[in-house]
Amino acid sequence: MKDAINISPFGYAELLRKLPELCSLGRCDAFGEVITTLYHKWSLYKRSVGTIPAILALEKIDCEGPISDNELSLIAEHCPKMRNIRLVYNPVVSRRSSSESELPDLAVLSTISNLDQLGIMSADFYSHSLFTVIKTAGGRLTHLELTNVDELNLAGLMMIGDHCMMLTCLNISSCHYTPEPSDRNKLEQACTPQALSKEKRPFSKLRRATFILTASTHIPILKYPIFFALNLEELKLKQIYQPMEDIFISSLVSWNPLQSLVQFHVTNGPHLSLMAANTLIQACPRLRQIGCVSSWGRVDREELLAFKREIVARNLDISIE
């Protein structure tokens, strides 16, 4: 379905009605309307076609259109095999379901027992009960993506670390972090050698991480997970609040020696030089790729070519892009 265009919600509804064993629709930004079309008790479509399958076999939803809490209730009820959901949350969508969930806002997601990959865009961490999902269903999650989520704070990050112990992939992009005066002391108290040595430390299974930071006060979003993710293999960073300096890369490897890191990508690096790349190469014995180096502001073409020749001469199996 990835190449399909101009399919209406009614078209998707008809597809699911006739093929209830479909596992995925691919990208479907109208899925909120689709599920309402199928299962709202006053749906004209439902009354006109007569028979609607009670259960759909869908396992994945990728929707960048709005989905309301009532539509999430319909998904939980009629898509029990759902494993992977990515959605834009909109609690004020006017489409109404045939029943009201007892669970507020995003909390209904915690009732989907197979859910292990979750992506939430444009929601509030506390006001929309995303924290409830983390507390009650976080133990099942292996992938978590938060984009443009408001009300995120250090307590929320710690909650994710404590409750999402199976997490292997984390993406936090352009979220609105709420700093508190006590953050620095809390980080120092949490990020200790003793905490790092615990068998059940937070983010111990994290392998891939992506961070897009929008303010200098957002550093805890990066530091807290990175400190504990000793098995991290892939790290992607983009800072859009200010240019990243070489010293930042030195700070990064001081938080975590990154002994398992294989791939590293930094975009928006107008102040980065090859010193940053050398810092990574020296610190990370398993490193195989440094991405976007050609776009770094303090790396010219001739310098980069010479650096690549040096990599070959040193017999290092590292791709510099």
Side-chain angles (χ1 to χ4, degrees):
M1 298 295 295
K2 66 179 181 179
D3 296 322
I5 58 174
N6 299 325
I7 300 179
S8 69
F10 287 98
Y12 279 115
E14 183 71 1
L15 184 67
L16 288 172
R17 185 178 76 87
K18 292 185 175 180
L19 299 172
E21 296 303 314
L22 274 179
C23 293
S24 173
L25 290 175
R27 171 80 174 270
C28 178
D29 291 345
F31 193 78
E33 295 180 68
V34 174
I35 201 75
T36 298
T37 298
L38 283 169
Y39 294 110
H40 192 289
K41 69 177 180 179
W42 301 119
S43 166
L44 293 175
Y45 171 83
K46 183 178 180 180
R47 284 186 283 175
S48 66
V49 299
T51 303
I52 301 289
I55 298 296
L56 299 175
L58 284 175
E59 297 181 3
K60 179 179 180 180
I61 294 173
D62 185 1
C63 178
E64 293 193 9
I67 292 182
S68 71
D69 49 350
N70 289 324
E71 290 162 347
L72 287 176
S73 296
L74 293 177
I75 293 170
E77 179 180 356
H78 299 286
C79 307
K81 295 182 179 180
M82 190 63 60
R83 296 183 57 252
N84 184 338
I85 295 181
R86 185 171 179 266
L87 61 91
V88 175
Y89 182 61
N90 188 346
V92 297
V93 170
S94 60
R95 302 182 294 273
R96 289 182 288 178
S97 73
S98 57
S99 62
E100 294 289 335
S101 170
E102 295 181 357
L103 296 173
D105 297 290
L106 293 168
V108 69
L109 289 169
S110 63
T111 66
I112 304 177
S113 60
N114 291 318
L115 189 65
D116 60 16
Q117 299 184 44
L118 177 62
I120 299 294
M121 293 170 275
S122 301
D124 296 338
F125 190 80
Y126 292 102
S127 299
H128 292 152
S129 299
L130 180 54
F131 78 98
T132 301
V133 182
I134 297 300
K135 283 187 171 182
T136 57
R140 301 194 297 268
L141 295 180
T142 60
H143 291 61
L144 178 63
E145 176 186 350
L146 304 179
T147 301
N148 198 30
V149 168
D150 206 349
E151 302 179 350
L152 190 62
N153 59 6
L154 184 57
L157 284 171
M158 290 181 170
M159 188 186 304
I160 293 170
D162 290 342
H163 292 277
C164 303
M165 298 298 291
M166 301 301 293
L167 208 63
T168 61
C169 182
L170 176 65
N171 185 329
I172 300 181
S173 299
S174 303
C175 289
H176 304 276
Y177 182 81
T178 305
E180 298 176 3
S182 60
D183 279 0
R184 184 171 181 177
N185 287 336
K186 287 181 179 178
L187 269 176
E188 290 178 353
Q189 293 170 8
C191 300
T192 63
Q194 292 78 12
L196 202 59
S197 65
K198 292 181 179 179
E199 182 179 351
K200 292 187 177 181
R201 68 181 186 277
F203 302 108
S204 61
K205 294 185 182 296
L206 196 64
R207 299 294 185 272
R208 292 184 289 130
T210 300
F211 300 94
I212 298 179
L213 309 181
T214 58
S216 58
T217 55
H218 291 188
I219 291 299
I221 292 178
L222 174 63
K223 183 175 181 178
Y224 184 73
I226 291 297
F227 179 82
F228 290 101
L230 295 181
N231 297 311
L232 194 66
E233 297 176 358
E234 180 180 330
L235 179 58
K236 296 181 179 180
L237 301 177
K238 182 178 181 181
Q239 288 180 294
I240 58 178
Y241 67 89
Q242 67 182 37
M244 192 179 298
E245 304 280 352
D246 290 337
I247 194 172
F248 181 85
I249 304 300
S250 299
S251 297
L252 190 66
V253 297
S254 72
W255 301 340
N256 182 333
L258 300 175
Q259 296 295 288
S260 298
L261 193 68
V262 177
Q263 296 182 44
F264 182 84
H265 297 260
V266 173
T267 55
N268 187 35
H271 291 180
L272 288 179
S273 73
L274 290 179
M275 184 181 296
N278 266 317
T279 299
L280 288 167
I281 291 171
Q282 292 172 16
C284 309
R286 296 187 59 195
L287 192 63
R288 294 294 176 267
Q289 183 183 77
I290 305 178
C292 305
V293 177
S294 60
S295 69
W296 294 359
R298 294 182 177 175
V299 177
D300 61 42
R301 183 175 180 274
E302 293 302 320
E303 189 179 21
L304 182 58
L305 290 174
F307 187 68
K308 289 182 177 181
R309 288 194 294 269
E310 180 185 349
I311 293 294
V312 173
R314 292 164 62 185
N315 200 29
L316 297 175
D317 185 16
I318 301 176
S319 171
I320 307 295
E321 298 179 352

